[in-house]
């Protein structure tokens, strides 16, 4: 099966390739574990920053997440909830304070810098701002080939060949090879970013809102491209977005993040069909509202998250969502943070961090909204402070912003 | 609410004559200065082609001929000095050392400044504070006087001059490059480079440096002028270039005692120096516009 001169970059053949390909893996100093080793494992990850005034901010608070091989996990939440920080901490682009990150079987805490760098060859990232993520002084060919040069993969000619192959794979015409990023359209720029991320044959690609800066028409193209790549390559994706429709299109599993914590996690179909956490319900409702039926239903239930994300400087006591949650009770919601309830009854495990998830998920929604004593809940906390009441049910297809 | 048009306070009429002249020089006339600089470069590279006489040939019988005058050997466009040496030939001959010292010293200063500035800007923290305090401490010292001191202690020579002059300019480069690096460091493409696995040296060399180059280029051209003036000053004071080497600054110094009888010996090299520095400044402005348009 090993030809004398292996072509390490032939993407089309990737699935026929033997697991231990000498052309690529011999240069990799790190072992990656077997197929069952998760590509990324976060355990109780905590990331803190210091604000300008020196006040510590916990951007990511005890988050655990597992991404298996060839699995695409969507991470959703409002802008500012810590999604991007989580992604950067997972690649050690920002330091984390507590917990463990295990990338391809390697605990990041124990790695030296050189080991970390060679590990990064297998874990790439696609950024939100396509233009900003490309060095304006480099040509497209050089940008895409940069990871190969940095890791010393292949000869110069092979690299150029690999770049052209990669360009073809992501749908970039060959004549763009010598162009500079400013000469490309937004969609082309993002394709360059994708090509650069995939050229080293990574095991994990973290996409940090890869389509939110693009026009709607281009967005669909890029999403389809990512879906194709996901299906044809041996790669896992961590897909960050604040647009749930985008995540639903691509992900196998979804994790919903709120104010630095994962509040719900589970298979994509189940999360979208039956969200258990009130915040996820709000998010899912927000995308469904495009169709009239759903809008009507939500007009009755009114369980959308309104108002702004509370400040990380001063997070609410108890459950972090209680300040916006229509179901919140004084006890326990406003007193103690909810534990992570893991439910494996249906075969696959689902996680939800809510004291009242069982009541809320059951059919007695209205009584849950009305509260145990049957009184009207105070809806002012999640209705807009002023203006036409119908504003609160106007469609808005985004979870955040 | 209807908009209310607020009358602009700026006058619509023609701008003041000084601004107009400046604008004209930069927009239309810049190629004249480029041409002038190319001529100076040509003087420096092929002095034999342009100099009518040997710049070291002295003939006391031809001393102090005023510009345009003639001697039995021929005409002297720029006159002759107290020893009867043709001034124009000396000016052509002096271009080489003048430009060479200025360019090499500025290059050295830029290399130091760019390195320091990039390191300080990229790493920040302690490295930044130490490096930049060093630059500030140096800026606070009257470096020209220190240069005079050093040159008098070490003995004036072209080599020492080329070592001393960069210390005058590197903090300027360091400051500009640091500021630029601070900005570039925030760019996503730097994060992308780190995420890809670039070691810090590659990040600095391949991703930061090419993006500060346009700014350095502009500064570099201006600083050549400054260094040229500094060299002229040091040579004028007698601690710079020594005869029989010739630079424009040295020519000015040598003409000074004869200023009352032979004005051309100081004025003509002085004008040459001034126009060269002016040309460098105007060209740098031109570069700046290009760099701004490219970014």
């Amino acid at each position: 099966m090993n030809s004398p001169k292996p072509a390490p970059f032939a993407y089309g053949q990737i699935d026929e390739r033997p697991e231990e390909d000498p052309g690529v893996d011999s240069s990799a100093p790190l072992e990656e574990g077997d197929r069952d080793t998760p590509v990324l494992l976060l355990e109780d990850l905590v990331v803190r920053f210091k604000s300008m005034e020196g006040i510590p901010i916990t951007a990511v608070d005890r988050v655990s997440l597992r991404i298996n091989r060839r699995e695409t996990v969507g991470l959703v939440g409002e802008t500012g909830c810590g999604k991007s920080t989580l992604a950067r901490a997972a690649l050690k682009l920002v330091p984390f304070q507590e917990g463990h990150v295990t990338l391809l079987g390697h605990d990041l805490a124990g790695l030296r810098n050189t080991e970390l760098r060679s590990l990064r060859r297998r874990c790439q990232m696609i950024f939100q701002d396509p233009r900003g993520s490309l060095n304006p002084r480099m040509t497209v060919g050089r940008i895409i080939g940069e990871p190969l040069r940095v890791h010393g993969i292949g000869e110069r000619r092979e690299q150029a060949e690999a770049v052209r192959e990669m360009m073809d794979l992501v749908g970039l015409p060959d004549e763009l090879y010598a162009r500079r990023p400013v000469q490309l359209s937004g969609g082309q720029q993002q394709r360059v970013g994708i090509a650069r991320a995939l050229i080293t044959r990574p095991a994990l690609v973290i996409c940090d809102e890869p389509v939110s800066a693009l026009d709607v028409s281009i967005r669909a193209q890029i999403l389809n491209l990512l879906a194709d790549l996901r299906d044809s390559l041996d790669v896992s994706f961590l897909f960050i977005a604040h647009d749930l429709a985008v995540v639903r299109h691509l992900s196998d599993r979804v994790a919903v993040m709120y104010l630095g914590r994962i509040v719900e996690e589970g298979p994509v179909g189940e999360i979208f069909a039956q969200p258990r956490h009130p915040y996820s319900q709000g998010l899912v409702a927000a995308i469904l509202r495009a169709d009239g039926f759903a809008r009507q239903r939500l007009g009755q239930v009114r369980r959308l998250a309104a108002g702004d994300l509370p400040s990380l400087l001063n997070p609410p006591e108890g459950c972090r969502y209680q300040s916006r949650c229509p179901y919140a009770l004084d006890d326990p919601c406003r007193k103690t943070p909810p534990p992570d309830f893991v439910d494996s009854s249906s075969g696959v495990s689902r996680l939800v961090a809510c004291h009242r998830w069982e009541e809320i998920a059951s059919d007695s929604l209205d009584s849950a909204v009305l509260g145990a004593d049957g009184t009207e809940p105070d809806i002012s906390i999640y209705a807009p402070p002023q203006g036409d009441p119908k504003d609160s049910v106007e469609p808005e297809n985004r979870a955040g912003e | 609410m209807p908009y209310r048009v607020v009358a602009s306070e700026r006058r619509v009429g023609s701008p003041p004559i000084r601004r107009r002249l400046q604008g004209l020089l930069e927009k239309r006339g810049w190629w004249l200065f480029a041409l002038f600089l190319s001529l100076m470069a040509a003087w420096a590279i092929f002095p034999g082609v342009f100099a009518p006489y040997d710049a070291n040939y002295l003939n006391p019988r031809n001393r102090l001929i005023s510009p345009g005058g003639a001697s039995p050997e021929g005409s002297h466009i720029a006159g002759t000095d107290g020893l009867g040496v043709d001034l124009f030939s000396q000016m052509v001959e002096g271009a080489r050392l003048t430009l060479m010292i200025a360019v090499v010293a500025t290059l050295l200063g830029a290399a130091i400044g760019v390195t320091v500035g990039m390191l300080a800007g990229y790493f920040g923290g302690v490295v930044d504070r130490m490096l930049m305090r060093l630059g500030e401490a140096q800026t606070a010292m009257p470096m020209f006087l220190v240069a005079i001191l050093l040159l008098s202690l070490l003995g004036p020579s072209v080599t020492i001059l080329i070592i001393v002059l960069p210390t005058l300019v590197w903090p300027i480069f360091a400051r500009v490059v640091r500021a630029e690096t601070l900005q570039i460091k925030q760019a996503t493409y730097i994060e992308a480079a780190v995420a890809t696995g670039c070691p810090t040296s590659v990040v600095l060399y391949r991703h930061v440096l090419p993006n500060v180059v346009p700014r350095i280029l502009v500064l570099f051209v201006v600083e050549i002028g400054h260094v040229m003036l500094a060299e002229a000053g040091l040579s004028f004071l007698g601690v710079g270039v020594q005869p029989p080497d010739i630079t424009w600054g040295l020519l000015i110094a040598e003409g000074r005692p004869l200023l009352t009888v032979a004005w051309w010996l100081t004025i003509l090299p002085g004008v040459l120096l001034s126009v060269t520095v002016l040309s460098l400044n105007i060209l740098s402005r031109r570069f700046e516009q290009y760099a701004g348009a490219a970014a």
Side-chain angles (χ1 to χ4, degrees), chain A residues 160-182:
Chain A
E161 210 171 290
V163 168
R164 286 183 195 278
E165 247 169 73
M166 200 66 232
M167 285 175 69
D168 187 47
L169 189 72
V170 300
L172 282 170
D174 203 46
E175 65 261 26
L176 298 184
Y177 190 89
R179 299 272 176 88
R180 287 182 196 276
V182 282

Side-chain angles (χ1 to χ4, degrees), chain B residues 11-17 20:
Chain B
R11 263 203 279 147
V12 188
S14 57
I17 192 85
R20 250 168 86 183

Side-chain angles (χ1 to χ4, degrees), chain A residues 103-115:
Chain A
L103 261 179
L104 300 163
H106 296 271
D107 191 336
L108 285 192
L111 284 187
R112 280 172 305 169
N113 266 343
T114 47
E115 290 172 319

Side-chain angles (χ1 to χ4, degrees), chain A residues 55-212:
Chain A
I55 307 162
I57 299 171
T58 309
V60 175
D61 190 12
R62 284 168 292 129
V63 164
S64 300
L65 189 67
R66 179 189 172 105
I67 301 178
N68 294 317
R69 208 150 176 169
R70 297 204 67 164
E71 187 182 38
T72 299
V73 175
L75 185 62
V76 295
E78 279 161 278
T79 306
C81 73
K83 314 183 292 279
S84 296
T85 307
L86 176 70
R88 280 163 175 75
L91 295 182
K92 219 175 174 184
L93 291 172
V94 297
F96 52 89
Q97 277 68 38
E98 287 169 37
H100 293 280
V101 177
T102 315
L103 261 179
L104 300 163
H106 296 271
D107 191 336
L108 285 192
L111 284 187
R112 280 172 305 169
N113 266 343
T114 47
E115 290 172 319
L116 179 65
R117 276 205 303 276
S118 46
L119 197 59
R120 278 181 178 156
R121 187 184 126 192
R122 304 282 284 141
C123 314
Q124 295 284 329
M125 192 153 174
I126 297 169
F127 295 88
Q128 177 174 10
D129 172 14
R131 181 169 169 180
S133 70
L134 309 177
N135 187 337
R137 299 259 148 203
M138 284 185 168
T139 61
V140 167
R142 289 206 48 155
I143 290 170
I144 300 176
E146 174 79 354
L148 297 179
R149 268 196 306 284
V150 166
H151 295 290
I153 305 170
E155 296 292 310
R156 204 174 248 263
R157 279 229 344 259
E158 291 174 307
Q159 289 176 357
E161 210 171 290
V163 168
R164 286 183 195 278
E165 247 169 73
M166 200 66 232
M167 285 175 69
D168 187 47
L169 189 72
V170 300
L172 282 170
D174 203 46
E175 65 261 26
L176 298 184
Y177 190 89
R179 299 272 176 88
R180 287 182 196 276
V182 282
Q183 296 170 290
L184 307 187
S185 70
Q188 288 171 333
Q189 286 168 344
Q190 195 56 294
R191 283 171 201 267
V192 172
I194 293 169
R196 166 178 62 189
L198 292 175
I199 195 148
T200 52
R201 292 216 303 150
L204 171 68
V205 174
I206 294 184
C207 311
D208 186 9
E209 310 212 13
V211 293
S212 56

Side-chain angles (χ1 to χ4, degrees), chain A residues 12 34 40 103 114 127 178 208 219 225 247 268 351 368-369 390 392:
Chain A
D34 54 24
L40 175 68
L103 261 179
T114 47
F127 295 88
D208 186 9
R219 186 177 295 190
L225 171 66
V247 166
V268 64
L351 177 151
V369 173
K390 90 177 200 294
S392 62

Side-chain angles (χ1 to χ4, degrees), chain A residues 194-396:
Chain A
I194 293 169
R196 166 178 62 189
L198 292 175
I199 195 148
T200 52
R201 292 216 303 150
L204 171 68
V205 174
I206 294 184
C207 311
D208 186 9
E209 310 212 13
V211 293
S212 56
L214 301 173
D215 289 345
V216 178
S217 56
I218 312 286
R219 186 177 295 190
Q221 292 174 14
I222 296 290
L223 286 175
N224 288 335
L225 171 66
L226 286 170
D228 288 347
L229 294 170
R230 177 201 59 186
D231 294 338
S232 59
L233 306 180
D234 184 17
V235 60
S236 309
F237 284 102
L238 174 60
F239 199 92
I240 300 171
H242 57 242
D243 186 338
L244 276 128
V246 164
V247 166
R248 177 154 66 170
H249 186 61
L250 279 170
S251 308
D252 302 316
R253 273 192 305 133
V254 181
V256 181
M257 211 166 161
Y258 183 80
L259 218 62
R261 297 229 60 191
I262 287 181
V263 294
E264 184 163 8
E265 191 221 301
V268 64
E270 292 190 28
I271 296 272
F272 278 88
Q274 293 170 314
R276 282 174 178 169
H277 195 279
Y279 181 62
S280 326
Q281 292 178 345
L283 291 183
V284 171
I287 47 167
L288 288 176
R289 276 191 303 168
D291 84 58
F293 166 71
R295 187 192 297 194
Q296 204 177 22
R297 199 184 73 194
L298 282 154
Q300 297 160 356
V301 178
R302 286 191 171 228
R303 51 191 154 162
L304 287 177
D308 289 327
L309 199 64
S311 167
L312 279 166
L313 280 172
N314 186 20
E317 219 158 286
C319 173
R320 293 203 159 193
Y321 188 53
Q322 52 89 348
S323 62
R324 295 164 81 188
C325 179
Y327 307 109
L329 300 175
D330 283 343
D331 191 25
C333 296
R334 298 192 211 281
K335 288 213 172 92
T336 42
D340 292 343
F341 294 100
V342 180
D343 168 26
S344 311
S345 54
S346 62
V348 272
S349 81
R350 277 186 72 172
L351 177 151
V352 57
C354 175
H355 289 294
R356 304 184 69 196
W357 75 270
E358 275 167 313
E359 297 167 64
I360 296 167
S362 69
D363 286 327
S364 55
L365 272 176
D366 288 329
S367 69
V369 173
L370 292 171
D373 53 358
T375 52
E376 270 290 320
D378 176 15
I379 60 165
S380 61
I381 53 162
Y382 49 96
Q386 56 186 354
D388 193 335
K390 90 177 200 294
D391 284 353
S392 62
V393 289
E394 271 308 298
E396 191 197 322

Side-chain angles (χ1 to χ4, degrees), chain B:
Chain B
M1 276 287 261
Y3 285 102
R4 191 176 295 172
V5 179
V6 180
S8 166
E9 283 185 25
R10 202 175 286 166
R11 263 203 279 147
V12 188
S14 57
I17 192 85
R18 205 174 61 84
R19 291 274 303 272
R20 250 168 86 183
L21 198 70
Q22 198 184 355
L24 208 66
L25 284 180
E26 277 164 29
K27 283 198 189 85
R28 306 259 170 77
W30 66 273
W31 62 270
L32 271 174
F33 293 93
L35 203 69
F36 177 79
L37 279 183
S38 324
L39 183 68
M40 290 303 108
W43 280 15
I45 298 165
F46 315 106
V49 177
F50 296 94
Y53 303 95
D54 185 347
N56 290 315
Y57 172 75
L58 46 99
N59 185 351
R61 257 183 296 174
N62 296 342
R63 52 198 295 264
L64 298 180
I65 295 170
S66 53
S71 72
E73 275 138 64
S75 65
H76 299 276
I77 301 177
T80 60
D81 69 1
L83 296 171
V85 185
D86 181 59
L87 182 62
F88 183 69
S89 304
Q90 290 195 69
M91 294 200 304
V92 172
E93 199 74 43
R96 172 172 285 184
L97 204 54
T98 308
L99 294 184
M100 197 270 279
I101 290 174
V103 169
V104 172
T106 314
L107 262 179
L108 282 176
I112 300 169
V114 169
T115 312
V116 168
M118 273 204 322
L119 293 177
Y122 190 78
F123 290 107
V126 186
V127 184
D128 183 27
R129 259 170 279 156
M130 269 170 47
L131 289 173
M132 293 325 281
R133 282 312 94 83
L134 188 73
E136 278 161 25
Q138 208 206 286
T139 321
M141 281 198 292
M143 278 315 287
F144 199 73
L145 294 182
V146 176
I148 294 173
L149 182 75
L150 274 175
L151 282 161
S152 352
L153 282 177
L154 299 169
S157 84
V158 173
T159 318
I160 304 278
L161 204 58
I162 287 180
I163 294 169
V164 169
L165 283 174
T167 60
L168 293 176
V169 289
W170 78 263
I172 305 167
F173 283 98
R175 225 172 303 136
V176 170
V177 170
R178 173 180 173 271
E180 200 84 340
T181 306
L182 278 177
Q183 219 173 36
I184 290 170
K185 195 172 76 166
Q186 304 296 324
T188 317
Y189 63 82
I190 297 298
E191 194 183 17
V194 175
T196 287
C198 291
T200 309
S201 56
V202 173
V203 174
L204 286 175
Y205 178 71
R206 274 216 289 264
H207 297 276
V208 177
L209 184 61
N211 286 288
V212 295
V213 158
R215 290 297 295 273
I216 304 174
L217 209 68
V218 173
L219 195 62
F220 182 70
V221 177
V222 179
E223 289 309 314
I224 289 178
H226 284 161
V227 170
M228 202 178 274
L229 289 177
E231 177 269 320
L234 291 171
S235 298
F236 181 81
L237 293 171
V239 293
V241 176
Q242 301 296 313
D245 288 338
I246 307 170
T247 63
W248 295 338
L250 193 62
L251 288 179
I252 297 171
E254 286 176 344
R256 192 192 53 85
L258 299 168
L259 190 59
T260 46
V261 286
W263 57 268
W264 58 91
L265 292 180
T266 25
I267 302 296
L268 292 185
V271 167
L272 197 61
L273 187 68
S274 311
V275 175
T276 307
V277 174
L278 177 70
S279 308
L280 288 167
N281 283 337
I282 284 175
L283 275 196
S284 78
R285 292 282 282 270
R286 186 78 198 163
F287 272 151
E288 200 166 21
Q289 285 166 2
Y290 265 123

